[in-house]
Amino acid sequence: MIDANQGLSQHQQLRLKLNPKQMRFGRLLEMSSPEFEDEVRRMLDENPALQTVEGGVDMPGHPDDDNAHDDFNETAEQLQRADYASDDDVPSYRLRDSQSYTADRYEPVAADDAPTAAESLLRQLGDYDLDDTDREVAVYVIGNLDANGYLTRSVGDIVYDVAMGAGIDVGEDDVRRMIDMVRSLDPAGIGARDLRDCLLLQLDRMPVSVDVRTAREIVDKYFDLFSRKHFDRLAAALDIPEESLRDALDVIRSLNPKPASLLEPSGAGDRMGYITPDFNVEVDAAGVATVSLTGHVPELAIESSFAIDDNAPAPVGRRDAEARAFIRNRRDDAAEFISMTRRRGETLMAVMQAIVRLQPEFFATYDRARLRPMVLRDIRRLTGLDLSVISRATAGKYVMTPDGMFPLKMFFNEGLNDERGTSSHAVAEALRALIEGEDSRHPLTDAELCDRLVADGFDVARRTVAKYRERMGYPVARLRRNIK
């Protein structure tokens, strides 16, 4: 039976709603300096009502640059490449033949044509007399190596891959033979199944000596004791003196646990890790800090033909009305973007200046231990900005100082519940000093580290010490043990 009773009830609910303008400003605020430059460049390309102010700083590569005022000065090669939507769509042969043109001459563009790890291994196959089937299997084996050069796929899976991908029926013995061939390629360790196998492959290629034989026995028979750093038990199991154990361990430490890294082009890691700072802070001899924004963002304005004309007659006809609506919408979008651009700059400057004011000792010494406790609420008290705005303004941002570049998130840290107002960075630096200065034969446990920090005046618990140690990348005491 249906209950037809109905009633009214009231309840309060707190909701936060952002209008489209607030959401757009939030996205602009989150952008890093290079991302914001790209956004400004995109808006200049898409909105004809937006232009750069004459005499301002032009965007690099934008059509308003001095070199772009000459009409129809593209070369045939540039015109052909312009037919593609992006550089990713340009065929490789055009990228290889690309050239940098100047007014009087051209210079070839230096391209990074260093082979990748897989390409280097495939080139080494040319030194082997292989038939088409073996070569196809070897290619599949190389294609299944991970970023470290390990082969994690089983023999049966590779047999299936070759059959389904190349349509070749091969047996497991053929695959194993090609795996052994790949394991013989350079550098040593390629094609290993795991770390232990990788170390053994490298030790097998080293000149025979007492230390190498001992190192191989450690990896082959006592790898668990070695990985857990039970050196006393390891020396007893091998029945060798400590000095001989130390020499064998030095041989193992000289090996490369990631052999594929030796085949990667030089500088690839540097390009991936490149960071552009968003702020620049300089401190003069009197201790006065100057904050500035980095980047090459031009001063923006509304194009004169989109200016408001109060004396313009009323639109006549549908097409005239649509044209005026287009002009008005473009003008409003441009005005809104200009306003948000200025507001973004003012917000970022206010936040960075507040950080400098709250961390004067750090910017005078650049010592992380001198960082004082600071949270988002402290910035809000100085700037009056909302916490979400401050969080967006600091996320993914970096500041360049005479002592190097630092992430803005580094300046925010909770303080300990003590009378000195000690910051978490001070505790971390003290903990780092204790671990770096400990006896490697008898590293300090978390309890011992806690006792020493308390003796130095830091009110911390053992679990806090463990959390900071893990955050800084230090293993437990047992794994920090070493023999000299």
Side-chain angles (χ1 to χ4, degrees), residues 88-381:
D88 294 335
D89 299 328
V90 180
S92 58
Y93 68 88
R94 291 206 182 279
L95 294 176
R96 288 195 300 267
D97 296 337
S98 61
Q99 297 169 334
S100 177
Y101 287 82
T102 61
D104 300 325
R105 60 188 175 88
Y106 70 88
E107 297 177 355
V109 175
D112 185 9
D113 56 355
T116 63
E119 291 173 344
S120 179
L121 295 174
L122 291 174
R123 289 182 181 180
Q124 295 182 47
L125 291 181
D127 297 333
Y128 292 81
D129 185 15
L130 303 175
D131 57 32
D132 293 341
T133 300
D134 286 345
R135 185 172 301 277
E136 191 69 30
V137 174
V139 169
Y140 269 82
V141 172
I142 292 175
N144 280 288
L145 300 179
D146 64 13
N148 297 325
Y150 293 175
L151 179 63
T152 57
R153 199 158 175 80
S154 67
V155 173
D157 290 338
I158 296 178
V159 170
Y160 177 81
D161 292 342
V162 174
M164 297 300 295
I168 302 175
D169 187 14
V170 295
E172 292 188 355
D173 291 340
D174 296 327
V175 173
R176 291 192 184 94
R177 182 164 48 83
M178 288 300 99
I179 291 177
D180 291 338
M181 191 274 296
V182 171
R183 288 160 64 94
S184 68
L185 301 178
D186 293 326
I190 287 292
R193 288 296 185 179
D194 50 32
L195 176 59
R196 176 175 170 274
D197 189 25
C198 178
L199 299 180
L200 288 174
L201 286 176
Q202 297 179 59
L203 289 169
D204 289 341
R205 293 203 201 177
M206 298 184 69
V208 179
S209 67
V210 175
D211 295 338
V212 172
R213 283 198 300 267
T214 304
R216 197 188 190 291
E217 186 177 2
I218 291 174
V219 176
D220 186 26
K221 299 180 180 180
Y222 305 102
F223 188 74
D224 186 59
L225 293 178
F226 165 72
S227 61
R228 295 177 179 272
K229 293 194 172 183
H230 293 318
F231 298 126
D232 295 339
R233 296 171 56 186
L234 191 57
L238 293 169
D239 193 20
I240 58 175
E242 185 177 288
E243 182 179 355
S244 299
L245 177 62
R246 181 171 57 248
D247 294 339
L249 293 178
D250 289 340
V251 172
I252 298 176
R253 293 191 185 100
S254 68
L255 306 177
N256 189 347
K258 300 179 180 180
S261 63
L262 300 176
L263 299 174
E264 292 297 330
S266 61
D270 296 338
R271 291 193 298 272
M272 294 298 292
Y274 184 77
I275 296 176
T276 301
D278 303 272
F279 304 93
N280 187 51
V281 174
E282 296 181 355
V283 182
D284 58 19
V288 179
T290 302
V291 180
S292 60
L293 287 170
T294 62
H296 304 280
V297 178
E299 184 179 353
L300 303 176
I302 297 177
E303 207 274 331
S304 58
S305 62
F306 284 79
I308 299 176
D309 187 3
D310 296 331
N311 299 322
V316 178
R318 177 180 175 183
R319 297 185 63 181
D320 190 11
E322 291 177 350
R324 293 198 181 191
F326 171 81
I327 293 175
R328 181 174 60 254
N329 292 336
R330 292 294 188 174
R331 182 185 62 233
D332 293 345
D333 288 343
E336 178 182 301
F337 184 75
I338 292 173
S339 175
M340 289 184 178
T341 299
R342 293 172 180 171
R343 184 182 169 193
R344 176 185 183 274
E346 293 169 356
T347 302
L348 293 178
M349 285 292 293
V351 171
M352 190 67 238
Q353 289 171 347
I355 292 175
V356 173
R357 289 177 58 187
L358 290 171
Q359 303 288 358
E361 294 184 1
F362 172 82
F363 286 99
T365 62
Y366 302 109
D367 183 2
R368 294 195 181 194
R370 307 296 292 272
L371 285 169
R372 55 179 293 182
M374 187 183 77
V375 293
L376 295 178
R377 292 188 299 273
D378 298 324
I379 303 296
R380 182 177 62 179
R381 281 194 290 268

Side-chain angles (χ1 to χ4, degrees), residues 1-14:
M1 188 165 181
I2 300 177
D3 186 5
N5 293 331
Q6 295 182 350
L8 297 176
S9 63
Q10 289 182 335
H11 66 279
Q12 290 183 338
Q13 188 176 13
L14 184 61

